[in-house]
Amino acid sequence: MKKILGLILTMSFSISSFAQTETTGTSITPAPKPPSVFLTYSYYKYDLQGTNNANTRIYGFDASTVDVNMITATWLYSPTWTLLAFLPHIKNMVETTYEPIPGGLNFKTRDYTEGLGDVRLMAMTPTYAKEAHLVLSDISVTLPTGSIDETFTSNPSQTAAYNMQLGSGTPDLILGSTYSYNLAKWVNSARGQLTVRGGRNAKGWALGNEFLTQLSSKYRVTSYFEAGVVGNYKARDAVQGRDEGYEKNNNWNNVAHGDGHQYYHAPQINWDAELVGKLSTPTPYYGATAALEGGLSFYRDAINKDDIRLDMPYWISASVTGSF
């Protein structure tokens, strides 16, 4: 990646130097060194909505949001290796309705968790590059910096659910590979990513291993706008072990009956297709670039043990990157 970027930048600087040489006739200005360190601030907003209550009739999701503020540091370490570090700050909100059935409680709560998430360290390298074809492979580790001790806002005596915690509590290994086919205006890509959990955390449980696949086809309409279609697929294994602070009220015995947490006790699969668009500055402005991106889902589905749904109709993000 650095080699390709460096070649492009070197060519542009060489052209500039050549023009200056032709103008002055005698002076030769050395080409400035291309930047090798980039710092990015990104904001992501995910807006979700519950669309199907649990089969046990114990509960259902209503509105839910995830706000992520991310700092990313990128270092073009060598012509073949790029090193990255991701520092996320996460804010979760979820509305839950208990016994959402006639004669039930129909009691809604709103819960929040907020704080630093798991830090991710990544190394990325091109493993194949020929004409319009490029394969980038990456390996990452996550550090268990995100809290797994968050409690429900509506009931501080109970630990919040697994998907409301700020981290996994384990050092995880992430392996990924992205293939892209680049044409003049079209960029088609496919990515696969596997997350392997590093054992159980201090509270005796571990999120299940996870596999992600993404297929995308995007068309560059202008130098600053691109649009396309993206398909996402996620398969996560069951949570291993149990958090007793969360599952202490495991067997619900009011109007609805059963295991109120079985959603987490079996594999989960989610998939969707979305329209995406991205606006970006075509050239750096005082050494910085900016982008605004969003996605609108037009098809989505899920499979899990309790047949509960929490879908994401849309998401938006904004980012600013500076080079050094």
Side-chain angles (χ1 to χ4, degrees):
M1 176 177 291
K2 182 178 180 182
K3 189 174 182 180
I4 297 172
L5 179 61
L7 177 61
I8 295 172
L9 293 174
T10 301
M11 287 175 63
S12 63
F13 286 131
S14 297
I15 293 171
S16 175
S17 299
F18 177 76
Q20 184 175 0
T21 303
E22 288 295 292
T23 302
T24 61
T26 56
S27 64
I28 299 177
T29 303
K33 182 181 178 181
S36 60
V37 177
F38 300 83
L39 194 63
T40 303
Y41 165 75
S42 305
Y43 169 73
Y44 302 87
K45 174 77 171 184
Y46 302 102
D47 200 306
L48 301 96
Q49 180 64 49
T51 56
N52 194 55
N53 296 328
N55 284 339
T56 55
R57 305 190 300 174
I58 294 174
Y59 71 104
F61 294 123
D62 198 352
S64 179
T65 58
V66 181
D67 295 85
V68 181
N69 291 277
M70 180 86 74
I71 300 295
T72 305
T74 304
W75 180 22
L76 305 184
Y77 174 72
S78 75
T80 55
W81 284 97
T82 300
L83 306 180
L84 303 97
F86 304 87
L87 178 65
H89 181 276
I90 303 169
K91 182 178 181 180
N92 298 305
M93 186 284 291
V94 63
E95 293 179 338
T96 308
T97 303
Y98 292 93
E99 290 191 356
I101 54 177
L105 292 173
N106 286 286
F107 177 69
K108 181 184 289 188
T109 62
R110 177 178 288 188
D111 296 289
Y112 295 89
T113 58
E114 182 176 2
L116 178 68
D118 287 348
V119 171
R120 180 175 176 179
L121 306 176
M122 174 191 286
M124 179 171 57
T125 184
T127 51
Y128 180 82
K130 185 176 181 181
E131 297 177 346
H133 304 275
L134 175 65
V135 177
L136 292 174
S137 299
D138 55 86
I139 181 170
S140 305
V141 292
T142 62
L143 308 179
T145 51
S147 169
I148 57 171
D149 297 313
E150 301 301 301
T151 59
F152 284 121
T153 311
S154 58
N155 182 13
S157 65
Q158 184 177 10
T159 303
Y162 303 106
N163 62 352
M164 288 288 285
Q165 298 301 326
L166 301 173
S168 66
T170 56
D172 303 327
L173 175 67
I174 303 175
L175 303 173
S177 185
T178 304
Y179 163 75
S180 61
Y181 179 56
N182 302 276
L183 300 174
K185 292 286 188 177
W186 287 97
V187 177
N188 303 297
S189 66
R191 175 169 175 80
Q193 177 178 293
L194 175 66
T195 301
V196 180
R197 307 297 174 182
R200 298 193 183 190
N201 56 39
K203 303 192 77 172
W205 57 270
L207 294 176
N209 297 334
E210 185 175 270
F211 176 71
L212 304 176
T213 298
Q214 183 180 84
L215 303 174
S216 72
S217 181
K218 299 177 182 179
Y219 180 76
R220 179 164 289 279
V221 181
T222 68
S223 60
Y224 56 86
F225 178 68
E226 64 180 40
V229 179
V230 176
N232 301 287
Y233 175 88
K234 178 175 73 174
R236 175 184 285 182
D237 199 4
V239 171
Q240 305 300 308
R242 298 192 178 192
D243 187 333
E244 297 302 328
Y246 168 57
E247 304 208 27
K248 58 184 181 180
N249 301 316
N250 195 53
N251 295 315
W252 194 268
N253 57 7
N254 210 334
V255 175
H257 303 276
D259 177 3
H261 307 114
Q262 65 175 302
Y263 171 72
Y264 301 103
H265 299 159
Q268 305 173 20
I269 299 176
N270 299 81
W271 63 92
D272 67 74
E274 57 186 0
L275 299 173
V276 297
K278 182 178 181 179
L279 284 168
S280 57
T281 52
T283 56
Y285 184 73
Y286 288 100
T289 58
L292 179 65
E293 193 170 3
L296 181 65
S297 173
F298 61 88
Y299 175 77
R300 49 193 178 270
D301 206 346
I303 298 174
N304 58 71
K305 188 176 181 181
D306 215 0
D307 198 28
I308 194 168
R309 291 280 296 277
L310 185 59
D311 295 329
M312 185 169 63
Y314 73 91
W315 60 271
I316 58 173
S317 73
S319 65
V320 177
T321 300
S323 57
F324 305 91

